Amino acid sequence: MTAVAFPVPLTSPVVLAPMSGITDLPFRRVVASFGAGLVVSEMIASGEMVTARPSRRAASRARAEVDADVPTSVQLAGRDAGAMAEAARIAEGQGAPIIDINMGCPAKKVVGGAAGSALMREPDLALRLIEAVVGAVSVPVTLKTRLGWDGDCLNAAKIAQQAEGAGVRMITIHGRTRAQFYTGSADWAAIAEVVEAVNVPVLTNGDIDGPEAARAALAQSGGAGVMVGRAAQGRPWLLAQISAALYGTPAPVVPEGAALVDLVAAHYEGMLDFYGRELGVRIARKHLGWYIDAAGGEPALRARLMRESDAAAVLAALPQALEPWRDAA
């Protein structure tokens, strides 16, 4: 393999994975504040951006909002070439520096609509979607897939070659099939076939929860970088830690005590501003739970805050909730 060129300059090839309902603008801002080569939006249904009723269309376009100073990829899903192309144009118009095409989501709702990883069973349609998106925008287009649909349909390398030929500039492979969902272990070694098949960067994704796993994933796959997902929940500094260990970038200062409280409070208030207080309180609960879990906080207090609807009460309880808990028994 020759050296690969990333579609945009990256401080490091450690990338935040798209996660539905999680990698919204407030969370991406927090992760980027510690240091991440690239952050990816949650998956956005192209049809909703283009043809849905006004309220749903506005919500979809809000999910595609980006900050000019945060390197961000906006991920789109769908199976209609026209809608995908138009959604890509809208995202580019809103400032997205990269458009990513989702062909890896295993969720039944997405696959039931014949999108996401279902497209791996329809490579001709997948290619038409890729060509439509690449032709619609001037910014780089990337692709995220799995190894295949199931053990009998492991076609990631072939699809990657077609995508590269159509103009895709980077590919991410989750080391499982759709049939596996998130069970078992990601097969990083299987991603090597994709790496060898193309001349664009390939990111390795799946089960990367720290520097040791990232190093092993790269050794087995030969990938150009890693994409980190669920392990960053409650630990938005994790990507910067991986980047420092593998690429020598500045190590983050992991917040503790009052600094952690300030971070979580700022993230919480950012979510209230983004979604509005009533909806924001509900959506923020999962993030609060992950922060408390990562800090080793008291389970009973965590459970109470998961039901709390008063934002002021949540903020007042954060110092206690984020204090490591020791069972007196």
Side-chain angles (χ1 to χ4, degrees):
M1 282 289 294
T2 57
V4 294
F6 288 97
V8 298
L10 303 181
T11 55
S12 81
V14 181
V15 178
L16 178 66
M19 292 180 282
S20 183
I22 298 169
T23 54
D24 55 18
L25 184 61
F27 185 61
R28 297 196 309 267
R29 283 171 171 160
V30 176
V31 173
S33 72
F34 286 97
L38 183 72
V39 296
V40 186
S41 77
E42 55 187 316
M43 179 186 68
I44 302 166
S46 56
E48 290 192 357
M49 284 189 77
V50 177
T51 62
R53 65 179 184 269
S55 61
R56 291 180 68 88
R57 190 163 64 241
S60 294
R61 296 187 184 194
R63 288 198 291 275
E65 185 179 339
V66 299
D67 286 334
D69 59 346
V70 175
T72 305
S73 175
V74 172
Q75 189 185 72
L76 302 176
R79 63 177 284 108
D80 179 83
M84 287 287 286
E86 181 59 23
R89 283 189 284 265
I90 292 168
E92 181 184 27
Q94 292 185 185
I98 299 176
I99 304 297
D100 187 60
I101 299 172
N102 182 303
M103 284 177 46
C105 179
K108 292 181 180 179
K109 180 179 179 181
V110 176
V111 170
S117 56
L119 290 168
M120 302 200 76
R121 295 188 296 181
E122 299 184 75
D124 291 341
L125 174 58
L127 180 58
R128 290 197 296 273
L129 296 180
I130 291 167
E131 290 172 338
V133 173
V134 171
V137 297
S138 59
V139 297
V141 175
T142 63
L143 175 69
K144 188 173 191 289
T145 81
R146 290 187 164 226
L147 295 173
W149 177 258
D150 58 22
D152 295 324
C153 180
L154 299 172
N155 58 351
K158 181 174 178 58
I159 288 175
Q161 287 179 322
Q162 293 177 323
E164 180 184 19
V168 160
R169 303 270 300 278
M170 184 171 73
I171 297 167
T172 300
I173 306 293
H174 183 106
R176 290 181 175 86
T177 65
R178 188 273 172 177
Q180 289 178 284
F181 282 82
Y182 296 100
T183 62
S185 299
D187 188 350
W188 299 324
I191 298 173
E193 181 182 358
V194 181
V195 174
E196 291 300 320
V198 297
N199 293 297
V200 296
V202 176
L203 300 182
T204 301
N205 176 228
D207 296 349
I208 296 172
D209 59 4
E212 183 177 345
R215 192 173 285 111
L218 291 176
Q220 292 180 37
S221 68
V226 295
M227 180 174 278
V228 181
R230 291 171 289 172
Q233 295 168 355
R235 298 188 295 165
W237 48 83
L238 178 63
L239 277 76
Q241 290 178 315
I242 293 172
S243 181
L246 271 62
Y247 301 106
T249 55
V253 177
V254 177
E256 298 179 344
L260 179 60
V261 172
D262 289 344
L263 170 75
V264 176
H267 185 184
Y268 187 77
E269 291 176 322
M271 296 191 75
L272 301 188
D273 289 341
F274 186 72
Y275 291 106
R277 295 187 74 81
E278 183 176 351
L279 179 59
V281 164
R282 297 199 301 271
I283 293 178
R285 286 171 179 159
K286 54 181 174 281
H287 287 280
L288 285 176
W290 292 325
Y291 281 122
I292 295 169
D293 289 343
E298 180 184 352
L301 180 53
R302 180 194 190 280
R304 180 170 69 80
L305 292 183
M306 292 303 96
R307 301 186 299 270
E308 181 59 68
S309 58
D310 183 346
V314 170
L315 291 168
L318 285 181
Q320 182 182 354
L322 294 169
E323 178 73 19
W325 179 66
R326 293 174 177 81
D327 190 344

